[in-house]
């Protein structure tokens, strides 16, 4: 069964600290993995997209890694800010967007305290 | 910033009412989607479209219907709303990628429509 599991379910950190969110998937065949940030009451916004051949990608203070062999990804947030408080969603595609299906994780709810 | 818009952002209605959630995008994307999201849960695909006059049901069964008469519009309609329809509805769009190995089909979401049926 194709699934995407994220951990932890929720996380609280202090402003300025780093954190790492995890995503494990069983989706096969694998096409790409995406991380989205969703602020409360808003739509998800793309942070990174990685294909099979990419094992790391950065977007400012966000760095995503991908290990296609172990089917694991992580999202590392550096020097957290209050505005980083949001749900972070891992999404895996089993093919390109034309024919592929997207599998969504339930997200990790990150809260950054001052 | 994505150019995809949803209205209304919030809607509270009584049981049995007909509602239409509007979704418009100005990016010329062929593929559009409707997702349903409940608190703490993953997004579930309820409808999608490959282009004008194309509509398909998604993975999650839904009593809603959609239409795609114009590329930029993808409205969702509930003929008779019930409390079980209370949820967040997210519209999204993407380019119809050629299917090449590096095509990722970036997905752009609207801000969502929060529906509450009393």
């Amino acid at each position: 069964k194709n699934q995407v599991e994220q951990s932890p379910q929720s996380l609280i950190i202090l402003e300025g600290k780093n954190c790492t969110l995890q995503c494990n998937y069983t989706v096969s065949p694998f096409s790409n993995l995406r991380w989205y940030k969703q602020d409360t009451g808003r739509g998800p916004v793309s942070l990174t997209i990685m294909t099979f051949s990419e094992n790391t990608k950065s977007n400012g203070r966000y760095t995503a890694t991908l290990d296609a062999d172990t089917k694991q990804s992580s999202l590392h947030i550096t020097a957290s800010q209050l505005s980083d408080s949001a749900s972070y969603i891992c999404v895996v595609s089993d093919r390109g967007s034309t024919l592929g299906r997207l599998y969504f994780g339930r997200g990790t709810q990150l809260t950054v305290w001052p | 910033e994505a150019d995809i818009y949803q209205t209304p952002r919030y809607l509270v209605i009584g049981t049995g009412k007909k509602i239409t959630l509007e979704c418009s995008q100005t990016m010329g994307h062929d593929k559009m989607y409707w997702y349903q999201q409940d608190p703490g849960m993953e997004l579930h695909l309820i409808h999608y479209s490959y282009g004008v006059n194309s509509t398909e049901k998604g993975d999650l069964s839904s009593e809603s219907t959609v239409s795609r008469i114009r590329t930029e519009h993808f409205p969702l309609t509930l003929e008779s709303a019930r409390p079980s329809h209370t949820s967040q509805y997210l519209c999204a769009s993407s380019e119809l990628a050629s299917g090449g190995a590096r095509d990722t089909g970036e997905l752009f979401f609207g801000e969502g429509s929060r529906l509450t049926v009393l």
Side-chain angles (χ1 to χ4, degrees), chain B residues 53-104:
Chain B
N53 294 326
S54 155
T55 60
E56 302 285 346
K57 289 190 178 297
D59 307 313
L60 182 68
S61 176
S62 174
E63 294 167 348
S64 59
T65 59
V66 293
S67 63
R68 190 85 184 277
I69 299 173
R70 293 163 55 184
T71 298
E72 58 270 28
H73 291 152
F74 192 40
L76 180 146
T77 298
L78 273 168
E79 290 293 333
S80 180
R82 294 203 302 272
S84 61
H85 296 137
T86 294
S87 188
Q88 165 99 325
Y89 292 85
L90 289 163
C91 180
S93 72
S94 69
E95 293 179 346
L96 193 63
S98 62
R102 294 193 62 80
D103 282 330
T104 56

Side-chain angles (χ1 to χ4, degrees), chain B residues 6-67:
Chain B
Q6 291 186 239
T7 57
R9 289 290 315 280
Y10 304 93
L11 182 61
V12 181
I13 60 169
T15 297
K17 298 294 185 182
K18 176 181 179 179
I19 65 108
T20 296
L21 304 180
E22 300 287 349
C23 177
S24 298
Q25 51 96 3
T26 59
M27 297 173 281
H29 287 168
D30 292 305
K31 204 165 180 182
M32 296 188 73
Y33 316 73
W34 276 102
Y35 288 92
Q36 188 173 336
Q37 184 183 31
D38 294 312
M41 302 297 288
E42 64 267 45
L43 277 70
H44 290 286
L45 181 67
I46 51 176
H47 298 283
Y48 63 98
S49 167
Y50 285 116
V52 172
N53 294 326
S54 155
T55 60
E56 302 285 346
K57 289 190 178 297
D59 307 313
L60 182 68
S61 176
S62 174
E63 294 167 348
S64 59
T65 59
V66 293
S67 63

Side-chain angles (χ1 to χ4, degrees), chain A residues 31-107:
Chain A
S31 176
N32 59 70
L33 185 146
R34 315 154 189 236
W35 282 95
Y36 285 87
K37 177 187 179 188
Q38 185 177 23
D39 292 320
T40 301
R42 310 291 289 272
V45 175
S46 179
L47 294 175
T48 64
I49 299 176
M50 289 182 292
T51 57
F52 184 88
S53 59
E54 298 172 300
N55 55 24
T56 186
K57 183 167 280 189
S58 292
N59 178 0
R61 294 180 296 102
Y62 301 101
T63 299
T65 64
L66 173 64
D67 186 334
D69 292 331
T70 61
K71 298 187 176 182
Q72 295 179 327
S73 175
S74 65
L75 180 68
H76 186 74
I77 303 175
T78 304
S80 61
Q81 300 176 359
L82 298 179
S83 59
D84 292 332
S85 294
S87 177
Y88 291 84
I89 302 171
C90 177
V91 185
V92 180
S93 174
D94 62 3
R95 285 179 181 86
S97 66
T98 304
L99 301 174
R101 175 184 165 166
L102 298 179
Y103 296 86
F104 289 80
R106 293 187 175 187

